[in-house]
Amino acid sequence: MSARTSPGRPPVHPYGWVRALGTVLAGLLAMGAVAALGLWAAGAGELPGGAFPRVVAATAVTAVGGSVDLSGAAGELVGAEADLTVMPLSVTLAGALVIGRGFLRPLRQRAVAGLPELAGWAGRIAALWLCALLGLAFAARHTFEVSLGEGLLADLGDLFGLSPTVGFAADVPLTVLFGLLWLAGVLLLAVLVAGGVPLPGRWARLGTSVRPAASATLLLLLACVAVGAVAALAVAATHGHPARTLAVLLLGLPNLVWPALTIALGATWDGQVDGPFGLPMPHLLDEVLRTADVTALNLGTLAERDGRVWWLPVAAAVLLLAAGWLTAARSPARTPAWRNAVRLAAALALASLMVCLVARVHAHGLSVLGIGDLGAGLSGRLFLRPRLWSTVGLAALWGLLAGLLGTPLARRTGRRTAR
């Protein structure tokens, strides 16, 4: 590894273990803080048996793609069943931004970076991240008792001596596997979108071909999160429910705004809500999905209940045009418009595919003997899944259009930047 030196001072190793440890710890602290505040706002602080720190660890595990298994029992006669598949993308985004920034920081101090240097620096972070994943996985497990409530289930509990318990435990091998894959994706994306970061010789062309569209797409997704945060705070100020709004912001804001972006582009998601679920979601979305059958969630079904939904494609068009302009402005001056359009279309298609994979939700609530509610709003069923390939195709078409319109706009303004 190379080192920067200065007269009279010992060499400074920009890719040392101490800096790698600082990067990993900063990412963990960011994810833990966001998860803890969001869970506290959602009421998880009242969970019995001191489960809150364990739930925070489980939330961090799922945020990096890990798996947490839910289980339950009610004596020797029956079992309690539940299933929850959801990725808290606010926590994911916080960790990705902090770790990505920590990974890029020493690279910005370099004029040239070789592949062995990049691999060694990423390897140090990955080794410490592996230790962090193991710690989170073993911490993310807990069992506590739940109440049967009143009525038939309470009578059955008294008759048979049932004491329902609910537990969760992280799947350690899957958590390590998907957590390392998540880290690899974060580091690769950071290198691809960051301007001013040197690339190895054979990768240098990526700086002019991939980076403009990739960085524009990332900024588009971050802009959607920022707009959603402003809208959520405005709703909280005018309609109340600040704790619920804070829980949405800190746990699942991208889970709402990124699918909303695909819907604004014409995509359709299928979903259903059945039962008194405690998952926070906007009232309009709850109204559309709370039906006896599976509901198609798109601009049409949403606009039937609130005409203001038609502003979604308008806002998406403005943001996409800005992304097309930014792609052209950061590309070499003589790059043809069709090439910018194709690159932006590919970037938006991949981003849409990522949203479809990470924003889907499936939850089946707790029950005993297949009936009843174990309390705390945990019974019922909720799922939300995209129509994958039509969503990806629409994103690619919009990317082509945005790239074709953004290039002449960038040339007219004459505002170009190297970053």
Side-chain angles (χ1 to χ4, degrees):
M1 299 297 170
S2 61
R4 294 183 294 113
T5 61
S6 58
R9 294 183 180 180
V12 178
H13 297 276
Y15 307 118
W17 286 100
V18 174
R19 176 163 283 183
L21 179 61
T23 299
V24 172
L25 289 179
L28 288 176
L29 288 175
M31 297 175 68
V34 172
L37 288 174
L39 290 168
W40 171 78
E46 301 176 359
L47 289 172
F52 183 73
R54 306 288 184 170
V55 174
V56 172
T59 303
V61 165
T62 57
V64 297
S67 176
V68 176
D69 299 325
L70 302 179
S71 62
E76 299 179 355
L77 297 178
V78 295
E81 297 181 354
D83 178 58
L84 176 63
T85 302
V86 60
M87 197 170 179
L89 292 179
S90 293
V91 182
T92 304
L93 184 61
L97 291 176
V98 172
I99 291 178
R101 181 178 177 83
F103 176 70
L104 293 175
R105 187 174 180 180
L107 298 178
R108 296 186 186 278
Q109 303 171 4
R110 308 284 294 173
V112 178
L115 185 58
E117 289 179 320
L118 287 177
W121 175 225
R124 284 178 168 84
I125 293 178
L128 295 172
W129 182 247
L130 173 61
C131 298
L133 288 174
L134 290 173
L136 285 175
F138 285 112
R141 55 185 63 206
H142 193 76
T143 301
F144 51 88
E145 294 185 359
V146 294
S147 172
L148 286 174
E150 300 179 355
L152 174 61
L153 289 179
D155 295 338
L156 287 174
D158 294 337
L159 179 62
F160 295 106
L162 303 180
S163 299
T165 60
V166 178
F168 60 88
D171 188 317
V172 177
L174 287 180
T175 297
V176 169
L177 173 62
F178 288 111
L180 289 176
L181 290 176
W182 177 86
L183 178 67
V186 169
L187 301 185
L188 178 61
L189 183 61
V191 171
L192 290 179
V193 303
V197 174
L199 292 173
R202 294 184 178 181
W203 293 13
R205 293 184 179 180
L206 293 177
T208 57
S209 61
V210 175
R211 272 180 173 170
S215 60
T217 302
L218 177 62
L219 288 176
L220 170 66
L221 295 177
L222 294 178
C224 290
V225 174
V227 171
V230 172
L233 292 175
V235 170
T238 56
H239 295 81
H241 307 291
R244 179 189 179 108
T245 302
L246 184 62
V248 173
L249 286 174
L250 295 175
L251 292 177
L253 183 60
N255 296 75
L256 297 176
V257 297
W258 290 345
L261 174 63
T262 65
I263 290 174
L265 303 183
T268 297
W269 291 59
D270 295 317
Q272 184 184 18
V273 175
D274 179 24
F277 251 98
L279 296 177
M281 64 173 60
H283 181 66
L284 174 61
L285 185 60
D286 184 77
E287 281 187 343
V288 174
L289 295 179
R290 196 172 293 278
T291 58
D293 299 321
V294 177
T295 301
L297 189 67
N298 52 40
L299 285 173
T301 56
L302 290 172
E304 289 177 359
R305 289 175 167 79
D306 193 338
R308 293 174 296 181
V309 169
W310 290 113
W311 285 104
L312 278 178
V314 176
V318 172
L319 291 175
L320 283 170
L321 183 60
W325 175 87
L326 190 60
T327 300
R330 293 183 173 182
S331 298
R334 296 183 179 181
T335 304
W338 67 266
R339 186 167 294 175
N340 288 332
V342 169
R343 291 169 179 172
L344 184 59
L348 285 175
L350 290 175
S352 177
L353 177 61
M354 180 271 295
V355 170
C356 290
L357 294 177
V358 303
R360 61 180 63 197
V361 178
H362 177 76
H364 179 72
L366 297 170
S367 63
V368 175
L369 292 173
I371 59 175
D373 180 9
L374 290 186
L378 292 173
S379 72
R381 178 171 178 262
L382 179 149
F383 76 90
L384 184 65
R385 58 174 178 257
R387 297 182 183 178
L388 182 62
W389 298 116
S390 63
T391 302
V392 173
L394 285 167
L397 289 175
W398 277 83
L400 281 172
L401 182 61
L404 291 174
L405 295 178
T407 299
L409 181 62
R411 290 173 179 172
R412 287 181 182 179
T413 57
R415 299 176 63 182
R416 300 185 178 278
T417 177
R419 295 186 61 184

mmCIF file of all heavy atoms in Angstrom, residues 392-418:
data_model
loop_
_atom_site.group_PDB
_atom_site.id
_atom_site.type_symbol
_atom_site.label_atom_id
_atom_site.label_comp_id
_atom_site.label_asym_id
_atom_site.label_seq_id
_atom_site.Cartn_x
_atom_site.Cartn_y
_atom_site.Cartn_z
ATOM 1 N N VAL A 392 -39.956 -2.034 -15.045
ATOM 2 C CA VAL A 392 -38.603 -1.784 -15.551
ATOM 3 C C VAL A 392 -38.655 -1.201 -16.968
ATOM 4 O O VAL A 392 -37.919 -0.264 -17.307
ATOM 5 C CB VAL A 392 -37.777 -3.075 -15.517
ATOM 6 C CG1 VAL A 392 -36.424 -2.878 -16.188
ATOM 7 C CG2 VAL A 392 -37.588 -3.548 -14.079
ATOM 8 N N GLY A 393 -39.535 -1.738 -17.810
ATOM 9 C CA GLY A 393 -39.647 -1.239 -19.173
ATOM 10 C C GLY A 393 -40.105 0.205 -19.238
ATOM 11 O O GLY A 393 -39.591 1.000 -20.040
ATOM 12 N N LEU A 394 -41.075 0.570 -18.404
ATOM 13 C CA LEU A 394 -41.544 1.959 -18.386
ATOM 14 C C LEU A 394 -40.440 2.908 -17.923
ATOM 15 O O LEU A 394 -40.301 4.014 -18.452
ATOM 16 C CB LEU A 394 -42.757 2.072 -17.472
ATOM 17 C CG LEU A 394 -44.065 1.511 -18.027
ATOM 18 C CD1 LEU A 394 -45.113 1.398 -16.924
ATOM 19 C CD2 LEU A 394 -44.582 2.392 -19.161
ATOM 20 N N ALA A 395 -39.662 2.480 -16.936
ATOM 21 C CA ALA A 395 -38.546 3.315 -16.477
ATOM 22 C C ALA A 395 -37.533 3.535 -17.594
ATOM 23 O O ALA A 395 -37.010 4.645 -17.769
ATOM 24 C CB ALA A 395 -37.877 2.678 -15.264
ATOM 25 N N ALA A 396 -37.254 2.494 -18.373
ATOM 26 C CA ALA A 396 -36.313 2.634 -19.487
ATOM 27 C C ALA A 396 -36.848 3.602 -20.540
ATOM 28 O O ALA A 396 -36.100 4.438 -21.077
ATOM 29 C CB ALA A 396 -36.033 1.269 -20.106
ATOM 30 N N LEU A 397 -38.139 3.523 -20.846
ATOM 31 C CA LEU A 397 -38.721 4.430 -21.833
ATOM 32 C C LEU A 397 -38.660 5.883 -21.357
ATOM 33 O O LEU A 397 -38.312 6.789 -22.128
ATOM 34 C CB LEU A 397 -40.167 4.029 -22.122
ATOM 35 C CG LEU A 397 -40.363 2.729 -22.907
ATOM 36 C CD1 LEU A 397 -41.841 2.395 -23.026
ATOM 37 C CD2 LEU A 397 -39.726 2.847 -24.284
ATOM 38 N N TRP A 398 -38.993 6.113 -20.109
ATOM 39 C CA TRP A 398 -38.904 7.459 -19.560
ATOM 40 C C TRP A 398 -37.451 7.941 -19.548
ATOM 41 O O TRP A 398 -37.170 9.130 -19.770
ATOM 42 C CB TRP A 398 -39.483 7.498 -18.152
ATOM 43 C CG TRP A 398 -40.968 7.635 -18.109
ATOM 44 C CD1 TRP A 398 -41.889 6.639 -18.221
ATOM 45 C CD2 TRP A 398 -41.715 8.841 -17.935
ATOM 46 N NE1 TRP A 398 -43.158 7.137 -18.117
ATOM 47 C CE2 TRP A 398 -43.086 8.497 -17.936
ATOM 48 C CE3 TRP A 398 -41.362 10.179 -17.761
ATOM 49 C CZ2 TRP A 398 -44.102 9.430 -17.785
ATOM 50 C CZ3 TRP A 398 -42.379 11.123 -17.603
ATOM 51 C CH2 TRP A 398 -43.719 10.758 -17.617
ATOM 52 N N GLY A 399 -36.514 7.050 -19.284
ATOM 53 C CA GLY A 399 -35.108 7.435 -19.306
ATOM 54 C C GLY A 399 -34.653 7.856 -20.689
ATOM 55 O O GLY A 399 -33.898 8.834 -20.841
ATOM 56 N N LEU A 400 -35.110 7.121 -21.714
ATOM 57 C CA LEU A 400 -34.777 7.514 -23.078
ATOM 58 C C LEU A 400 -35.304 8.905 -23.397
ATOM 59 O O LEU A 400 -34.592 9.753 -23.962
ATOM 60 C CB LEU A 400 -35.369 6.492 -24.060
ATOM 61 C CG LEU A 400 -34.618 5.174 -24.252
ATOM 62 C CD1 LEU A 400 -35.452 4.226 -25.109
ATOM 63 C CD2 LEU A 400 -33.254 5.418 -24.890
ATOM 64 N N LEU A 401 -36.558 9.153 -23.039
ATOM 65 C CA LEU A 401 -37.158 10.455 -23.320
ATOM 66 C C LEU A 401 -36.449 11.569 -22.559
ATOM 67 O O LEU A 401 -36.154 12.635 -23.123
ATOM 68 C CB LEU A 401 -38.644 10.410 -22.955
ATOM 69 C CG LEU A 401 -39.445 11.686 -23.223
ATOM 70 C CD1 LEU A 401 -39.412 12.027 -24.715
ATOM 71 C CD2 LEU A 401 -40.883 11.520 -22.752
ATOM 72 N N ALA A 402 -36.150 11.322 -21.283
ATOM 73 C CA ALA A 402 -35.470 12.338 -20.480
ATOM 74 C C ALA A 402 -34.075 12.627 -21.016
ATOM 75 O O ALA A 402 -33.628 13.778 -21.034
ATOM 76 C CB ALA A 402 -35.398 11.884 -19.023
ATOM 77 N N GLY A 403 -33.368 11.591 -21.466
ATOM 78 C CA GLY A 403 -32.042 11.796 -22.020
ATOM 79 C C GLY A 403 -32.069 12.578 -23.321
ATOM 80 O O GLY A 403 -31.225 13.454 -23.563
ATOM 81 N N LEU A 404 -33.049 12.291 -24.174
ATOM 82 C CA LEU A 404 -33.154 12.998 -25.450
ATOM 83 C C LEU A 404 -33.518 14.462 -25.257
ATOM 84 O O LEU A 404 -33.049 15.339 -26.003
ATOM 85 C CB LEU A 404 -34.192 12.309 -26.340
ATOM 86 C CG LEU A 404 -33.818 10.920 -26.866
ATOM 87 C CD1 LEU A 404 -34.990 10.293 -27.600
ATOM 88 C CD2 LEU A 404 -32.597 11.006 -27.782
ATOM 89 N N LEU A 405 -34.363 14.754 -24.282
ATOM 90 C CA LEU A 405 -34.752 16.142 -24.024
ATOM 91 C C LEU A 405 -33.717 16.884 -23.191
ATOM 92 O O LEU A 405 -33.550 18.096 -23.339
ATOM 93 C CB LEU A 405 -36.105 16.176 -23.304
ATOM 94 C CG LEU A 405 -37.303 15.648 -24.087
ATOM 95 C CD1 LEU A 405 -38.567 15.702 -23.226
ATOM 96 C CD2 LEU A 405 -37.509 16.453 -25.375
ATOM 97 N N GLY A 406 -33.035 16.162 -22.306
ATOM 98 C CA GLY A 406 -32.082 16.822 -21.420
ATOM 99 C C GLY A 406 -30.813 17.253 -22.116
ATOM 100 O O GLY A 406 -30.198 18.264 -21.737
ATOM 101 N N THR A 407 -30.390 16.531 -23.155
ATOM 102 C CA THR A 407 -29.135 16.874 -23.830
ATOM 103 C C THR A 407 -29.189 18.231 -24.526
ATOM 104 O O THR A 407 -28.312 19.077 -24.306
ATOM 105 C CB THR A 407 -28.757 15.764 -24.827
ATOM 106 O OG1 THR A 407 -28.583 14.540 -24.111
ATOM 107 C CG2 THR A 407 -27.468 16.107 -25.554
ATOM 108 N N PRO A 408 -30.189 18.516 -25.373
ATOM 109 C CA PRO A 408 -30.229 19.864 -25.977
ATOM 110 C C PRO A 408 -30.435 20.958 -24.939
ATOM 111 O O PRO A 408 -29.937 22.073 -25.118
ATOM 112 C CB PRO A 408 -31.406 19.780 -26.956
ATOM 113 C CG PRO A 408 -32.215 18.616 -26.508
ATOM 114 C CD PRO A 408 -31.257 17.656 -25.908
ATOM 115 N N LEU A 409 -31.152 20.637 -23.868
ATOM 116 C CA LEU A 409 -31.335 21.631 -22.821
ATOM 117 C C LEU A 409 -30.011 21.969 -22.158
ATOM 118 O O LEU A 409 -29.717 23.151 -21.890
ATOM 119 C CB LEU A 409 -32.332 21.102 -21.783
ATOM 120 C CG LEU A 409 -32.668 22.039 -20.622
ATOM 121 C CD1 LEU A 409 -33.323 23.302 -21.143
ATOM 122 C CD2 LEU A 409 -33.583 21.324 -19.624
ATOM 123 N N ALA A 410 -29.185 20.950 -21.911
ATOM 124 C CA ALA A 410 -27.878 21.196 -21.302
ATOM 125 C C ALA A 410 -26.975 21.985 -22.245
ATOM 126 O O ALA A 410 -26.194 22.842 -21.811
ATOM 127 C CB ALA A 410 -27.227 19.867 -20.930
ATOM 128 N N ARG A 411 -27.063 21.711 -23.536
ATOM 129 C CA ARG A 411 -26.229 22.434 -24.490
ATOM 130 C C ARG A 411 -26.661 23.890 -24.625
ATOM 131 O O ARG A 411 -25.831 24.774 -24.851
ATOM 132 C CB ARG A 411 -26.277 21.729 -25.840
ATOM 133 C CG ARG A 411 -25.541 20.384 -25.824
ATOM 134 C CD ARG A 411 -25.734 19.610 -27.113
ATOM 135 N NE ARG A 411 -24.989 18.345 -27.064
ATOM 136 C CZ ARG A 411 -25.097 17.391 -27.984
ATOM 137 N NH1 ARG A 411 -25.922 17.558 -29.015
ATOM 138 N NH2 ARG A 411 -24.392 16.278 -27.877
ATOM 139 N N ARG A 412 -27.943 24.135 -24.487
ATOM 140 C CA ARG A 412 -28.413 25.513 -24.581
ATOM 141 C C ARG A 412 -27.992 26.327 -23.363
ATOM 142 O O ARG A 412 -27.622 27.494 -23.493
ATOM 143 C CB ARG A 412 -29.933 25.541 -24.716
ATOM 144 C CG ARG A 412 -30.437 25.096 -26.087
ATOM 145 C CD ARG A 412 -31.946 25.168 -26.147
ATOM 146 N NE ARG A 412 -32.448 24.697 -27.446
ATOM 147 C CZ ARG A 412 -33.736 24.639 -27.763
ATOM 148 N NH1 ARG A 412 -34.651 25.028 -26.881
ATOM 149 N NH2 ARG A 412 -34.111 24.195 -28.951
ATOM 150 N N THR A 413 -28.104 25.732 -22.212
ATOM 151 C CA THR A 413 -27.722 26.473 -21.002
ATOM 152 C C THR A 413 -26.214 26.674 -20.950
ATOM 153 O O THR A 413 -25.730 27.637 -20.360
ATOM 154 C CB THR A 413 -28.182 25.732 -19.747
ATOM 155 O OG1 THR A 413 -27.636 24.414 -19.743
ATOM 156 C CG2 THR A 413 -29.713 25.650 -19.703
ATOM 157 N N GLY A 414 -25.461 25.705 -21.542
ATOM 158 C CA GLY A 414 -24.006 25.836 -21.559
ATOM 159 C C GLY A 414 -23.365 25.654 -20.206
ATOM 160 O O GLY A 414 -22.216 26.039 -20.001
ATOM 161 N N ARG A 415 -24.082 25.080 -19.274
ATOM 162 C CA ARG A 415 -23.556 24.903 -17.907
ATOM 163 C C ARG A 415 -23.068 23.476 -17.765
ATOM 164 O O ARG A 415 -23.847 22.548 -17.623
ATOM 165 C CB ARG A 415 -24.638 25.214 -16.873
ATOM 166 C CG ARG A 415 -25.140 26.640 -16.953
ATOM 167 C CD ARG A 415 -26.268 26.862 -15.983
ATOM 168 N NE ARG A 415 -25.819 26.684 -14.610
ATOM 169 C CZ ARG A 415 -26.605 26.780 -13.550
ATOM 170 N NH1 ARG A 415 -27.877 27.043 -13.708
ATOM 171 N NH2 ARG A 415 -26.134 26.598 -12.363
ATOM 172 N N ARG A 416 -21.781 23.307 -17.775
ATOM 173 C CA ARG A 416 -21.170 21.991 -17.661
ATOM 174 C C ARG A 416 -20.263 21.981 -16.464
ATOM 175 O O ARG A 416 -19.671 22.984 -16.086
ATOM 176 C CB ARG A 416 -20.379 21.638 -18.929
ATOM 177 C CG ARG A 416 -21.266 21.630 -20.157
ATOM 178 C CD ARG A 416 -20.496 21.162 -21.372
ATOM 179 N NE ARG A 416 -21.364 21.116 -22.529
ATOM 180 C CZ ARG A 416 -22.178 20.132 -22.812
ATOM 181 N NH1 ARG A 416 -22.225 19.094 -22.020
ATOM 182 N NH2 ARG A 416 -22.934 20.164 -23.880
ATOM 183 N N THR A 417 -20.166 20.842 -15.854
ATOM 184 C CA THR A 417 -19.325 20.698 -14.676
ATOM 185 C C THR A 417 -18.601 19.373 -14.732
ATOM 186 O O THR A 417 -19.109 18.412 -15.316
ATOM 187 C CB THR A 417 -20.159 20.803 -13.386
ATOM 188 O OG1 THR A 417 -19.305 20.580 -12.278
ATOM 189 C CG2 THR A 417 -21.256 19.766 -13.355
ATOM 190 N N ALA A 418 -17.476 19.289 -14.146
ATOM 191 C CA ALA A 418 -16.711 18.039 -14.134
ATOM 192 C C ALA A 418 -17.132 17.111 -13.035
ATOM 193 O O ALA A 418 -16.706 15.975 -12.959
ATOM 194 C CB ALA A 418 -15.213 18.343 -13.996
#
